[in-house]
Amino acid sequence: MTSTTTAALELRAVDMHYGFVRALDSIDFQVSQGEVVGLLGDNGAGKSTLLKVMSGAHRPTSGTILVNGHETTFHSPSAATAAGIQMVYQDLALVDAQDISTNLNLGREILRKGPLGWLGVVDTRAQRKRAEKELDRLGVRTAAMTRPVEMLSGGQRQVVALARSATRVTGESNGVLLLDEPTAALGYEQTQQVQALIRRMADHGIAIVLVTHNLPLAMDVCDRIAVLNRGRKVADLPTAETDNDQLVGWITGARASMFA
């Protein structure tokens, strides 16, 4: 984990109300560059709501959001993206009929030079070279760049989605990846593949927030774990200082909050 004095993403006293329902209650949360923070909790604990606040999909009722120490307000997901925050949803948002290279380059296509470029013709060869270079840097091995996504396994599809987001937050200033249950529909070997990629992305300086119900995955891959229960943060500590039984206690409410 990279040690930094300023968090890549920090939330201070964030509240989220839906009418009389308080989905988030004064949440403090942060993740630093090169750190993987697990966000755990039962269904309805507030994990998805907190991710939506981080990704700009929802504006909090109150509270402060800071990116690299600078206070900001996200009016939309595109504003969060511009700030270096990428969300990887469970549905992956891949174009099944297109190949791996095209999916990795969505939204940042390389156009041909000259008149063909003026007409919007894509330079597929240049895109494949860039995609291969980026995957090599992340240590990712998938199928050939020309293979349609619909022909990939579940694990390969997840790797493509993660790698696509990772390439958008790496560069001169590393960003933040928000992962929503990335291994929910995967088997053991595919989960191990995704887990290894998450750690490699962190090693490249990316800050990662991992929402998962998979406790073994959280214990293996996360540097720190935060637990939500009914919209309140009840635990936040280094993974090495907790265990499975403690986490289950906080998730179910059988264990008292660290902040009571």
Side-chain angles (χ1 to χ4, degrees):
M1 182 183 76
T2 301
S3 176
T4 59
T5 56
T6 302
L9 175 65
E10 182 177 1
L11 279 63
R12 297 178 182 171
V14 165
D15 286 331
M16 188 73 203
H17 299 171
Y18 298 103
F20 294 105
V21 177
R22 176 171 285 187
L24 297 175
D25 186 357
S26 193
I27 298 292
D28 293 326
F29 183 88
Q30 69 176 42
V31 58
S32 299
Q33 287 186 356
E35 183 181 32
V36 182
V37 178
L39 185 58
L40 309 184
D42 207 349
N43 293 331
K47 306 184 304 298
S48 295
T49 302
L50 190 58
L51 278 187
K52 289 175 181 177
V53 169
M54 295 178 190
S55 65
H58 286 174
R59 291 187 64 183
T61 305
S62 61
T64 304
I65 299 174
L66 298 96
V67 178
N68 294 317
H70 301 288
E71 186 173 338
T72 187
T73 300
F74 297 145
H75 296 282
S76 66
S78 60
T81 299
I85 298 172
Q86 285 281 326
M87 177 78 178
V88 181
Y89 295 95
Q90 289 189 51
D91 63 7
L92 305 184
L94 297 174
V95 182
D96 288 348
Q98 296 294 336
D99 60 23
I100 294 174
S101 173
T102 299
N103 273 276
L104 289 173
N105 287 285
L106 282 175
R108 56 187 192 122
E109 291 79 5
I110 301 175
L111 300 181
R112 297 279 294 274
K113 296 180 180 180
L116 291 178
W118 304 339
L119 295 173
V121 178
V122 173
D123 189 335
T124 56
R125 180 177 296 179
Q127 289 198 159
R128 288 171 188 165
K129 287 183 177 179
R130 180 171 68 178
E132 289 172 349
K133 182 179 179 179
E134 291 172 340
L135 292 184
D136 285 343
R137 184 164 53 83
L138 289 172
V140 174
R141 292 292 181 270
T142 59
M145 290 290 104
T146 55
R147 179 169 297 182
V149 165
E150 61 190 356
M151 296 179 63
L152 301 180
S153 68
Q156 288 174 319
R157 289 165 58 87
Q158 185 64 258
V159 165
V160 170
L162 291 176
R164 182 180 62 186
S165 293
T167 59
R168 284 158 169 74
V169 297
T170 54
E172 294 182 0
S173 178
N174 291 320
V176 181
L177 276 185
L178 310 176
L179 310 182
D180 186 10
E181 297 285 1
T183 63
L186 305 182
Y188 176 78
E189 291 185 3
Q190 295 174 329
T191 295
Q192 293 298 304
Q193 182 183 19
V194 170
Q195 176 179 320
L197 177 55
I198 291 173
R199 282 307 331 171
R200 284 198 299 272
M201 292 190 297
D203 290 342
H204 279 80
I206 300 173
I208 299 174
V209 179
L210 171 65
V211 169
T212 181
H213 283 93
N214 187 332
L215 293 187
L217 172 67
M219 294 295 291
D220 286 344
V221 79
C222 296
D223 300 296
R224 185 162 52 85
I225 292 177
V227 181
L228 300 185
N229 187 295
R230 300 182 180 180
R232 309 188 78 173
K233 188 172 75 169
V234 296
D236 191 339
L237 72 172
T239 306
E241 297 179 10
T242 188
D243 57 35
N244 190 78
D245 290 341
Q246 289 180 326
L247 292 176
V248 170
W250 281 313
I251 290 170
T252 61
R255 188 179 183 86
S257 170
M258 291 178 60
F259 313 107

